[in-house]
Amino acid sequence: MRYKFYHIPAMFPDQAEAELNRFCTEHHVLQTEREFVADGSNSYWAICVMYSDNSGSLVASRDTRKNRVDYKEVLNAEDFSVFSELRDLRKQIADREGTPVYNIFTNEQLAEMVQQRTTSKTALGNISGIGAAKLEKYADEFLAFLTGQFAFKGVDPPPADET
């Protein structure tokens, strides 16, 4: 992590502000801290920008955002409906636990659950990235939801060997 410090005058901040904005768009900013220093007409903002020296990761992260999957295009209407409700369930659990939603399951994992008509712990455990800890913590709630949704929507059940 590296640091860059700025002194932005309270009066006529345009030039210093433009320099700060330019820097922030060209670097991967991790965190900023700011403090207003009151000194009459000499008042200013003291700003510390903490950033990553690895500029390549910024480009990579922007490219990743452009390549996001639109599950509305990938899944049929019925599957997308179940997928959306799974995301709502994941959000409720994440809020309850105070954790980001992706710590529960990723969108890709949720889509795979729907596409594979997952209704068993074995099938859930076969999805990439879902290990014993997630099975222990979330399987019962998600499988109950999926089983109910598939039955309610009249979706074909999974093959018999998925018990």
Side-chain angles (χ1 to χ4, degrees):
M1 177 172 21
R2 298 192 56 177
Y3 298 89
K4 179 85 173 169
F5 299 93
Y6 287 91
H7 177 273
I8 311 286
M11 298 178 68
F12 311 110
D14 297 341
Q15 183 179 353
E17 184 180 286
E19 183 182 336
L20 172 63
N21 288 335
R22 185 173 39 259
F23 180 86
C24 289
T25 58
E26 293 173 356
H27 293 82
H28 182 83
V29 176
L30 302 172
Q31 185 177 348
T32 60
E33 292 184 15
R34 67 181 189 273
E35 187 73 33
F36 185 73
V37 179
D39 187 22
S41 63
N42 296 323
S43 296
Y44 63 94
W45 284 98
I47 299 176
C48 173
V49 179
M50 290 157 264
Y51 66 100
S52 170
D53 200 18
N54 184 359
S55 60
S57 66
L58 177 61
V59 174
S61 69
R62 285 183 180 162
D63 289 345
T64 302
R65 287 186 205 145
K66 290 179 186 174
N67 295 329
R68 285 190 178 166
V69 176
D70 182 355
Y71 289 98
K72 199 167 195 172
E73 292 179 6
V74 173
L75 301 171
N76 65 39
E78 285 179 349
D79 286 353
F80 185 76
S81 173
V82 175
F83 171 78
S84 293
E85 292 178 46
L86 273 178
R87 288 188 341 182
D88 292 342
L89 173 62
R90 177 184 66 181
K91 175 79 170 121
Q92 291 171 2
I93 294 169
D95 287 347
R96 179 176 71 215
E97 294 184 1
T99 189
V101 293
Y102 56 79
N103 282 347
I104 311 292
F105 293 119
T106 65
N107 283 343
E108 184 178 354
Q109 290 166 335
L110 295 179
E112 201 167 332
M113 288 177 204
V114 173
Q115 290 171 319
Q116 294 180 5
R117 308 289 188 255
T118 303
T119 57
S120 72
K121 282 189 179 183
T122 302
L124 191 60
N126 288 333
I127 295 174
S128 178
I130 300 178
K134 285 188 180 184
L135 283 174
E136 178 68 30
K137 200 166 187 180
Y138 306 117
D140 292 339
E141 196 165 359
F142 276 83
L143 291 173
F145 179 82
L146 284 165
T147 302
Q149 285 298 306
F150 294 146
F152 175 74
K153 295 185 184 296
V155 175
D156 295 331
D161 64 338
E162 281 195 24
T163 57

